[in-house]
Amino acid sequence: MRTTAAVAKVLSAFLADPGADRYGLDLMRATGHPSGTLYPILLRLQRAGWVDARWEEVDPVAAARPARRYYRLSPDGAVAARMAVAELFARLAPGAGPAGTVVTPRTATGAA
């Protein structure tokens, strides 16, 4: 799965408490992403097997709100999320080149 900055923000929100169930509004607040950005990311994470989702079992009348869909990192997803976020940070680090290689003036110009 391609890890963009937007995906990394969602993964980081999950990694803050990997065992916790999170719902959409909670994740929107944690990431700053609007629903049109968040939900496609959650769907991609589900399809990749990184996130499991389930509907809350609640009586909407008694709770005075609709049922929530809860998301949680799968065990494999937690491992993959940690690696993906770390790789993205390595790529974005100052002086990092492709795949986290350090670019110096000598290697950037090909000089020995």
Side-chain angles (χ1 to χ4, degrees), residues 21-109:
D21 287 332
R22 308 291 298 262
Y23 61 97
L25 184 58
D26 174 42
L27 288 166
M28 283 189 274
R29 288 177 179 153
T31 63
H33 293 325
S35 61
T37 300
L38 177 67
Y39 287 106
I41 291 171
L42 289 172
L43 183 58
R44 286 193 344 238
L45 292 172
Q46 278 182 267
R47 288 181 177 163
W50 292 20
V51 170
D52 296 321
R54 67 171 177 80
W55 282 103
E56 173 185 39
E57 293 184 27
V58 65
D59 178 5
V61 174
R65 63 171 174 76
R68 294 176 177 154
R69 185 159 177 95
Y70 283 103
Y71 302 88
R72 179 187 290 208
L73 281 175
S74 67
D76 290 341
V79 172
R82 284 185 189 94
M83 289 176 38
V85 170
E87 287 172 6
L88 178 66
F89 285 134
R91 285 196 316 262
L92 297 177
T101 58
V102 176
V103 177
T104 63
R106 292 174 60 166
T107 59
T109 61

